[in-house]
Amino acid sequence: MDVAAHCGASSLLFSVDGDTIVQPGLRNAYMREFEHGYDLVCGRIGFIASETAVLPEANAIHEAVIREYRETSRFIEALIFPDEENPWPHHGNIGGANFALRADAYQRIGGLPTPPSGEDRALRRLCQAHDLRIRYSDGPRVETSCRLFGRASGGLSDELRRNRTETDPVVDELLEPPEQLLLRLRSCLQFRSATDAQKRDLLKALLLPQAAAETVLALPSSAGWQMVEDTSAMLKRTRMRLSDLVEHLPGLRQMLSAVEEAQSEIPESLRT
């Protein structure tokens, strides 16, 4: 990607995996999205049908819990932070098997981050910190391998295998208990509209060290909030297991109902 970015600031960088089959029309679908001015476009990822047919079945109830918990969490966030670029519902995913971005945007964020795993999500986070335009599109489609043993650790293969061999597997690291999700979203909402004095009070309540708080206040809003999430002891994510999702799902459903009710009482002209 670094080499491709040097082809010119107007170049487009496309990412697919080696075990992935590009579906017809992908290039044109991406071009249509970039014509609307998006910086990062995340396409739809499915599984190769022939592999899916022989994939050992996961527990259907467990799969339903994970799916509902993920979608309900995303819906709550979409209600609190409506995204004009991506009206709900949308797939909300980025995967190395199918995304594209502008070379000038890639250079602006400083290139591809290289954590042990999850570099695609880390890339999206950098784009968000720089207030780049992100689009979740159903147009560009690929089908990728659903094998249970891959070359990269911490990726899709590990997740598929855990869900088929463990009775209480760890789940997506982005999922969190309802009370922490609500704290994160409410705090972000307050941070976006607060004065510096109000931000200091908020950062103190979120247990940020003084030095970190001063650094946050010196950063642009989006980058500053990401540092809050990375630094706050109150917002530190703890990886949950399936049993945690089962325990918290009723509370998450109640939270969704409460947020929907609260949103319905806000005049349309005043909604975020």
Side-chain angles (χ1 to χ4, degrees):
M1 295 190 77
D2 290 344
V3 172
H6 285 292
C7 291
S10 62
S11 300
L12 301 176
L13 312 182
F14 295 82
S15 174
V16 295
D17 284 347
D19 59 357
T20 297
I21 301 172
V22 170
Q23 298 302 292
L26 178 136
R27 180 184 177 88
N28 287 338
Y30 269 124
M31 295 307 296
R32 286 192 294 271
E33 298 290 9
F34 283 118
E35 286 171 0
H36 287 92
Y38 295 111
D39 297 298
L40 169 66
V41 180
C42 308
R44 173 75 73 170
I45 301 172
F47 287 144
I48 297 172
S50 60
E51 293 192 15
T52 304
V54 297
L55 184 69
E57 289 189 8
N59 184 297
I61 297 176
H62 293 175
E63 291 287 284
V65 168
I66 295 171
R67 183 167 53 252
E68 182 182 356
Y69 203 100
R70 180 185 293 114
E71 291 306 301
T72 303
S73 298
R74 286 177 174 172
F75 188 22
I76 291 171
E77 182 168 3
L79 287 170
I80 296 176
F81 292 106
D83 184 354
E84 293 182 358
E85 312 277 26
N86 300 284
W88 184 262
H90 56 80
H91 67 75
N93 292 316
I94 181 171
N98 191 19
F99 74 81
L101 76 163
R102 297 180 183 274
D104 57 351
Y106 183 78
Q107 292 166 347
R108 180 178 172 186
I109 65 175
L112 183 71
T114 56
S117 63
E119 67 281 357
D120 39 20
R121 287 180 169 179
L123 173 73
R124 175 177 60 182
R125 206 158 184 265
L126 276 177
C127 290
Q128 292 169 333
H130 285 79
D131 292 317
L132 301 185
R133 294 182 64 194
I134 301 173
R135 171 69 170 165
Y136 300 109
S137 176
D138 286 335
R141 290 176 174 264
V142 303
E143 292 182 355
T144 196
S145 174
C146 53
R147 60 191 177 186
L148 301 184
F149 294 91
R151 289 179 295 179
S153 61
L156 175 63
S157 294
D158 286 358
E159 180 180 354
L160 292 174
R161 188 174 65 256
R162 284 195 305 268
N163 291 350
R164 285 159 177 78
T165 61
E166 299 179 15
T167 57
D168 193 21
V170 294
V171 296
D172 189 337
E173 69 273 10
L174 294 183
L175 300 180
E176 54 192 330
E179 62 274 9
Q180 188 175 36
L181 173 63
L182 188 60
L183 175 64
R184 184 185 306 279
L185 295 177
R186 281 181 170 173
S187 299
C188 181
L189 194 62
Q190 294 172 18
F191 184 86
R192 287 186 177 187
S193 60
T195 64
D196 281 355
Q198 291 170 332
K199 286 181 179 178
R200 282 190 170 88
D201 290 340
L202 175 62
L203 299 181
K204 184 177 180 180
L206 292 175
L207 305 183
L208 252 71
Q210 181 63 31
E214 293 303 320
T215 301
V216 166
L217 293 173
L219 291 172
S221 181
S222 296
W225 175 251
Q226 285 197 0
M227 183 174 178
V228 174
E229 288 194 326
D230 292 339
T231 311
S232 169
M234 298 286 289
L235 300 180
K236 183 178 180 181
R237 295 181 187 271
T238 301
R239 195 78 177 263
M240 294 199 296
R241 292 185 174 274
L242 174 64
S243 57
D244 297 314
L245 300 192
V246 173
E247 176 185 351
H248 291 306
L249 186 55
L252 191 68
R253 291 169 178 157
Q254 292 177 2
M255 182 185 297
L256 173 58
S257 297
V259 172
E260 286 182 309
E261 182 177 353
Q263 289 289 319
S264 67
E265 296 174 356
I266 301 175
E268 186 69 29
S269 60
L270 299 180
R271 294 182 188 178
T272 305

